[in-house]
Amino acid sequence: MTLRLAEKDLTPPVLLAPMAGITDRPFRDLVMRFGAGMVVSEMVASQEMVQAKPGVRERAELSADVENTAVQLAGREAHWMAEAARQVVDRGARVIDINMGCPAKKVTNGYSGSALLKTPDHALTLIEAVVDAVDVPVTLKTRLGWDDKLLNAPDVARRAQDAGIRMVTIHGRTRCQFYKGRADWQAIRAVKEAVSIPVVANGDIIDTEAAQTALVQSGADGVMVGRGAQGKPWLLAQICHDLYGAAAPDIPVGADLIEMVRAHYQAMLSFYGTELGLRVARKHLGWYMDEARTPATLRRAVLTSRDPDEVLQLLGDALNSSAEVAA
């Protein structure tokens, strides 16, 4: 039940995926409290971080004293990638992850993220620069390829391993698929067979059954959970328990769930400040209410209120129906 990342043990090998605007420090801390092998920050733009663009450094807030936390960097120039890596390691990062998987047009149009799959020689210069810049393990997250005509993940992973990458995570889709269709876990097996470093399967892992199937089909050493954890921060711990015998999470229901969501809400307000925190919190509160099947009128009241005290009060009724659903 252990995935060996350099000198680190990720136990169990169930990881939280980096998700823009979602896997901030409050959410990562919450997931880790339930239990996970590793959590990864939302993508941080390397040049913007080095140049101290507003909001970017906050996204890289590391929970530096928390073991098994990684920071994901994105970029297209070796200089900025290396400098950003040095800065986040100086601030406590234990692992650096390189983004070669983001399919968003605003990222790929800047020749970053999954666009790097089209220029693997250039991508290797970024990998080498980051590996040379820091002493912590460097990992890579990417996709099967750019499109069905360029399925080059096995070759990219092999070259990345030779350059010093210590683990690779593969989302089982091409960039041009974005998040459509189903992740092809079977196709990840070609990457596993191409390298000797750990390989982690990602994409559509929304429950224990999906995680088990992904592991069998891919031959991967672990799984990475993304959108499935939205509104269910205990999901990774549940998969850890079901597949690897880790301690079962105490999944909150009723009053305990209301208390957890209120605490998460307050943590976001504290982290971002009230004005920004109110906006950031809406997506998370929406996911919690999806699970609770909150009535539309009450849901709208929670998501439109600009009074934190009112939101805290409304959450009691909004999540009151969740006991049966969460169980």
Side-chain angles (χ1 to χ4, degrees):
M1 62 182 291
T2 295
L3 186 158
R4 189 74 170 167
L5 172 58
E7 302 304 316
K8 303 173 69 66
D9 289 331
L10 306 186
T11 307
V14 181
L15 288 59
L16 178 67
M19 293 180 282
I22 299 169
T23 54
D24 54 19
R25 179 171 179 171
F27 187 67
R28 296 197 309 270
D29 287 351
L30 183 55
V31 169
M32 282 300 290
R33 283 199 294 274
F34 281 103
M38 186 170 78
V39 296
V40 186
S41 77
E42 55 188 318
M43 178 181 69
V44 179
S46 56
Q47 182 173 347
E48 284 80 353
M49 179 179 173
V50 174
Q51 295 177 334
K53 294 291 180 65
V56 176
R57 287 181 182 270
E58 288 78 4
R59 289 202 294 273
E61 185 65 39
L62 308 178
S63 309
D65 58 341
V66 177
E67 194 66 49
N68 295 346
T69 296
V71 174
Q72 188 184 73
L73 298 178
R76 62 183 180 274
E77 295 183 26
H79 166 73
W80 296 117
M81 289 287 287
E83 186 56 33
R86 293 187 192 98
Q87 288 194 12
V88 295
V89 168
D90 286 346
R91 297 172 63 201
R94 314 293 184 90
V95 178
I96 299 293
D97 186 61
I98 296 176
N99 183 305
M100 280 182 58
C102 180
K105 290 183 179 179
K106 66 179 181 179
V107 176
T108 58
N109 286 347
Y111 306 106
S112 299
S114 56
L116 292 167
L117 287 163
K118 296 195 293 184
T119 57
D121 289 345
H122 176 63
L124 262 292
T125 68
L126 307 184
I127 291 170
E128 291 167 351
V130 173
V131 170
D132 290 345
V134 297
D135 293 328
V136 302
V138 181
T139 63
L140 176 69
K141 188 173 190 293
T142 187
R143 289 183 168 232
L144 297 175
W146 176 257
D147 57 23
D148 289 341
K149 297 180 180 179
L150 184 61
L151 299 172
N152 58 343
D155 181 62
V156 168
R158 188 185 304 110
R159 296 180 65 184
Q161 174 182 265
D162 292 343
I165 288 293
R166 309 302 292 270
M167 181 179 79
V168 60
T169 299
I170 303 292
H171 184 113
R173 290 181 174 89
T174 66
R175 181 273 175 183
C176 289
Q177 285 181 274
F178 286 85
Y179 297 98
K180 297 177 182 178
R182 291 195 57 79
D184 186 352
W185 300 319
Q186 182 69 44
I188 298 173
R189 184 171 289 273
V191 178
K192 175 61 181 172
E193 293 172 350
V195 298
S196 58
I197 55 176
V199 173
V200 175
N202 174 232
D204 292 346
I205 298 174
I206 59 171
D207 54 27
T208 297
E209 181 181 2
Q212 176 65 42
T213 304
L215 288 168
V216 171
Q217 292 186 1
S218 66
D221 302 285
V223 294
M224 180 174 277
V225 179
R227 290 172 290 170
Q230 294 171 354
K232 294 179 287 187
W234 54 81
L235 176 62
L236 281 79
Q238 185 65 53
I239 294 173
C240 291
H241 169 68
D242 293 340
L243 296 187
Y244 300 103
D250 186 8
I251 299 176
V253 297
D256 290 339
L257 177 64
I258 294 167
E259 181 181 357
M260 185 209 77
V261 175
R262 283 173 170 164
H264 185 194
Y265 178 67
Q266 291 173 310
M268 288 184 280
L269 296 184
S270 176
F271 183 71
Y272 290 105
T274 301
E275 184 175 354
L276 178 57
L278 282 168
R279 298 199 300 271
V280 172
R282 286 172 186 152
K283 63 174 81 70
H284 289 279
L285 297 183
W287 292 321
Y288 289 130
M289 289 189 289
D290 286 344
E291 292 295 310
R293 301 176 187 172
T294 303
T297 300
L298 185 51
R299 176 191 179 92
R300 185 162 52 252
V302 171
L303 297 182
T304 57
S305 175
R306 297 188 58 80
D307 181 350
D309 291 333
E310 181 183 31
V311 172
L312 290 169
Q313 182 176 0
L314 289 170
L315 283 172
D317 290 332
L319 300 171
N320 195 41
S321 62
S322 62
E324 295 181 4
V325 176

